[in-house]
Amino acid sequence: MIIIAHKYGQLGNRLAYLRVYISFALEHNIKILDLSFDEYSKYFMGTCCNVLRINNILSRLLRNVITMLINLGLISNNNKLLSLVETDDNRHVRLIDSAIAEMCIENNVIIYDGWPIINWNLVKKHDSEIRSFFSLVDGIANKVKSFIEQVKEADEILVGVHIRQGDYKNWNSGKHYFNSTDYVRIMRKVLEMHPNSIVKFIISTNEHQDWGLFSEFNYVCAPGNAVEDMYILAECDEIYGPQSSFSGWASFFGDVPLRWIDNPDCFIKALDPMV
């Protein structure tokens, strides 16, 4: 069994993170006890015989106990009953390495840190199961469906725009931060790319906007709930935004073309945004 006791980032990162481990578990027929997703799990179907979950209170408690035992040195990679999987110098868990793979398959192990590295063909092999596992519960799925039905008119192209500001102003030295006027320039360029089409933009943002800046466009705002916004983007025909696992997951789940923005005048197509 693999016990995932590490919360890696926010929603998008955690989905991408679990995608790898669940694919690994499906490939090798091993169980996962997932302690990393408790605040989001209520939104998803989560039906997979290889993944075990417990209630949120117990999950948080067990995660705290594991943290304490690791800090005290009582759980380590030398523990035969419950081993800690260590990361490499780049803080990666190299599931592609046979020794770590065998350890995860044969023993009870704890994943507490690091990003998993794996043969990506193995992950893609299990995409249908992953999409099923992370499909929305009916209540949220119906909200997404209703939103799309209300905003989409015949012959329109729905273009999702992910405006990620907030934390991006400082993360990675602000490399992926763009101000709102930059996004206006981006949207103008998108229109230039579709001269013969009717484009409606769906804007998902984590910051308050001066919506007057966008008045020249045919647009609607996504509701603002992270899960709903992500899966609304997954229903678009195209997605544009800064490099982010949020838009990356929407692209993967909906099989939607994604162009990550390198700068407001240059779009880089992500061939596989979740790699």
Side-chain angles (χ1 to χ4, degrees), residues 40-47 53 131-145 227-228 231 253:
Y40 297 120
S41 60
K42 63 184 179 182
Y43 297 108
F44 300 94
M45 296 297 289
T47 53
R53 286 217 171 105
R131 287 189 177 97
S132 176
F133 185 82
F134 288 111
S135 58
L136 297 174
V137 297
D138 289 344
I140 306 299
N142 289 337
K143 287 183 179 181
V144 170
K145 181 181 179 182
V227 175
E228 290 178 37
Y231 279 69
F253 191 87

Side-chain angles (χ1 to χ4, degrees), residues 4-21 34-40 63 87-88 90-93 111-117 164 171 245-246 274:
I4 299 179
H6 173 56
K7 289 190 172 186
Y8 201 108
Q10 301 181 67
L11 175 62
N13 278 338
R14 248 168 296 165
L15 286 164
Y17 186 79
L18 286 172
R19 179 188 177 192
V20 174
Y21 280 109
D34 176 26
L35 308 177
S36 71
F37 207 63
D38 40 48
E39 72 268 47
Y40 297 120
R63 196 169 58 247
T87 61
D88 64 17
N90 296 313
R91 290 187 64 198
H92 291 153
V93 177
I111 305 294
Y112 190 72
D113 193 12
W115 190 264
I117 302 298
R164 179 77 177 263
W171 178 70
S245 57
F246 187 93
M274 304 309 298

Side-chain angles (χ1 to χ4, degrees), residues 88-180:
D88 64 17
D89 293 340
N90 296 313
R91 290 187 64 198
H92 291 153
V93 177
R94 295 187 56 84
L95 296 176
I96 201 168
D97 292 350
S98 59
I100 292 182
E102 289 174 9
M103 178 183 178
C104 291
I105 293 167
E106 295 175 1
N107 302 324
N108 293 318
V109 302
I110 290 178
I111 305 294
Y112 190 72
D113 193 12
W115 190 264
I117 302 298
I118 198 169
N119 182 330
W120 204 246
N121 288 328
L122 183 151
V123 176
K124 294 178 75 66
K125 174 181 175 181
H126 299 286
D127 277 353
S128 61
E129 294 100 323
I130 298 300
R131 287 189 177 97
S132 176
F133 185 82
F134 288 111
S135 58
L136 297 174
V137 297
D138 289 344
I140 306 299
N142 289 337
K143 287 183 179 181
V144 170
K145 181 181 179 182
S146 176
F147 181 91
I148 295 296
E149 288 176 346
Q150 289 177 31
V151 303
K152 186 165 186 177
E153 302 290 341
D155 301 324
E156 283 183 337
I157 294 176
L158 288 185
V159 174
V161 178
H162 179 215
I163 299 180
R164 179 77 177 263
Q165 294 171 326
D167 56 334
Y168 265 31
K169 183 170 280 190
N170 298 311
W171 178 70
N172 201 10
S173 302
K175 178 180 178 181
H176 304 294
Y177 175 86
F178 307 106
N179 62 40
S180 298

Side-chain angles (χ1 to χ4, degrees), residues 200-219:
K200 177 175 282 184
F201 293 99
I202 297 180
I203 301 175
S204 170
T205 179
N206 65 338
E207 282 282 295
H208 174 75
Q209 300 294 328
D210 176 2
W211 293 111
L213 292 173
F214 300 89
S215 60
E216 65 191 85
F217 304 108
N218 178 16
Y219 80 93

